[in-house]
Amino acid sequence: MEPIEEVTHEMLKKAVGHPIEVVAFGICYRGKLTQFDPKLGTIRIVDEKKNYAVLEIERIEGFTKLDE
């Protein structure tokens, strides 16, 4: 995954419901993007075991939409 300049709201809207990989705080998070909240500036990622992470969009260092 290469570093990105900026994650756009349009990019996140299109990825809701799809598997993604995100790097934030130097940690890689992989799972389904289940929620994008533009007002709060957060996303919610859920993995196969139903664990989840809520991340601030401004903290995202890398973002990739994965093949299903």
Side-chain angles (χ1 to χ4, degrees):
M1 180 183 313
E2 293 185 23
I4 54 173
E5 290 296 320
E6 180 181 356
V7 177
T8 65
H9 285 202
E10 191 64 35
M11 184 188 303
L12 293 170
K13 277 191 237 179
K14 289 180 180 179
V16 172
H18 297 279
I20 63 167
E21 186 173 89
V22 173
V23 175
F25 306 104
I27 301 169
C28 182
Y29 299 87
R30 181 179 269 198
K32 184 183 281 189
L33 179 60
T34 59
Q35 187 178 37
F36 160 57
D37 189 329
K39 289 183 181 181
L40 291 177
T42 60
I43 61 171
R44 181 180 171 124
I45 303 167
V46 179
D47 71 8
E48 294 173 357
K49 297 176 184 175
K50 304 299 181 203
N51 297 313
Y52 70 90
V54 176
L55 302 170
E56 294 176 341
I57 296 166
E58 66 185 34
R59 303 292 184 202
I60 295 174
E61 302 162 20
F63 176 89
T64 303
K65 186 175 168 187
L66 303 173
D67 295 330
E68 294 186 57

